Amino acid sequence: MRSLARLAADLPFSLDDTAAAAEAFARGRAGDAEACRHADLWAYVWMVRYVTRKFLTERVGTPSDMDAVQSRAMDGILKAKEQVSDPARFPAYVSVVCKNALLSHRARRHVTVEADDTTLEPEPEDAHADLDRAAIRRDVETAIEALPAGIRTVARMRFLDEAPFEDIAEATGHPLPTVRAYASKATARLRDLGALRAHYYDDVLPPGADGTAE
């Protein structure tokens, strides 16, 4: 972590200032070599910190496992860096790629240490969680706005406001079975969107990272 702090000290902005990181990436893509270096450095340090913290918290895996996850994440970041269509969303893509690299490792690994109370303690809230939540909420909001008007309000109240079905029925005037049916239709449409699957699965990059639109 001390070596990471030394690397991060070379950035002209805080490691957790994702807006500044996105701006640096955009300027780098436009031809600013120094900004490009800052964006690359930010992505590398952010990725290493993310993976290291996860391994330290879970206490499962070897140093070589951590190296493998970091290498996988860096490969994904480099691919997204070249193909991402919206520079402003680059930090969110970095977060998703790192999370997917870790999920892929978890799916393949064999537990080599016994879990204890410390291992099972929830990880403290940090900037990674904040970035994940912000990215997920933004993508859910965007996806809901693209839904048919008939189910959009129900989806917004259910998935963004976390309102009970009964409250949604009262607010919209729809019968309760209709509200449940609309929520089910919205769920079916949202679960297949790459923009949302990218937050949970390793089979897709975030929208635009492959050069296509969702």
Side-chain angles (χ1 to χ4, degrees):
M1 286 299 185
R2 284 193 294 269
S3 62
L4 282 182
R6 287 193 293 270
L7 287 173
D10 196 34
L11 290 171
F13 49 83
S14 166
L15 187 59
D16 294 319
D17 189 346
T18 56
E23 181 182 356
F25 179 73
R27 287 190 286 110
R29 172 169 282 186
D32 186 330
E34 185 69 1
C36 182
R37 186 181 73 82
H38 289 152
D40 289 346
L41 178 60
W42 173 85
Y44 173 76
V45 176
W46 201 97
M47 176 275 294
V48 173
R49 187 183 69 171
Y50 178 94
V51 174
T52 300
R53 283 181 172 179
K54 293 295 185 181
F55 269 78
L56 289 176
T57 299
E58 296 179 9
R59 297 169 57 195
V60 175
T62 66
S64 62
D65 290 330
M66 186 167 68
D67 288 343
V69 173
Q70 290 178 354
S71 178
R72 181 182 179 87
M74 202 64 224
D75 288 344
I77 289 171
L78 290 175
K79 182 177 180 180
K81 178 177 179 290
E82 294 300 320
Q83 298 181 343
V84 61
S85 61
D86 182 1
R89 302 185 67 184
F90 181 64
Y93 292 171
V94 171
S95 174
V96 170
V97 168
C98 290
K99 180 163 60 177
N100 284 346
L102 190 66
L103 290 174
S104 179
H105 165 71
R106 287 171 177 166
R108 291 174 171 83
R109 77 186 178 196
H110 296 286
V111 176
T112 57
V113 299
E114 294 183 0
D116 57 21
D117 291 341
T118 303
T119 306
L120 299 178
E121 287 178 355
E123 184 179 9
E125 292 291 328
D126 58 21
H128 302 134
D130 290 339
L131 182 55
D132 286 345
R133 281 194 296 268
I136 292 171
R137 183 175 179 86
R138 183 196 58 243
D139 287 340
V140 171
E141 289 174 342
T142 300
I144 287 176
E145 287 304 310
L147 292 173
I151 63 176
R152 189 183 306 145
T153 299
V154 171
R156 186 183 297 112
M157 294 182 68
R158 182 63 179 168
F159 303 128
L160 296 179
D161 301 336
E162 300 182 359
F165 288 120
E166 293 78 8
D167 291 354
I168 299 174
E170 182 178 353
T172 61
H174 296 313
L176 187 58
T178 301
V179 170
R180 291 183 179 277
Y182 283 178
S184 179
K185 289 180 181 180
T187 300
R189 287 173 178 265
L190 296 178
R191 68 158 52 102
D192 291 331
L193 293 177
L196 302 183
R197 288 183 59 82
H199 290 291
Y200 299 101
Y201 302 99
D202 197 29
D203 59 347
V204 289
L205 283 171
D210 60 355
T212 61
E214 284 293 325

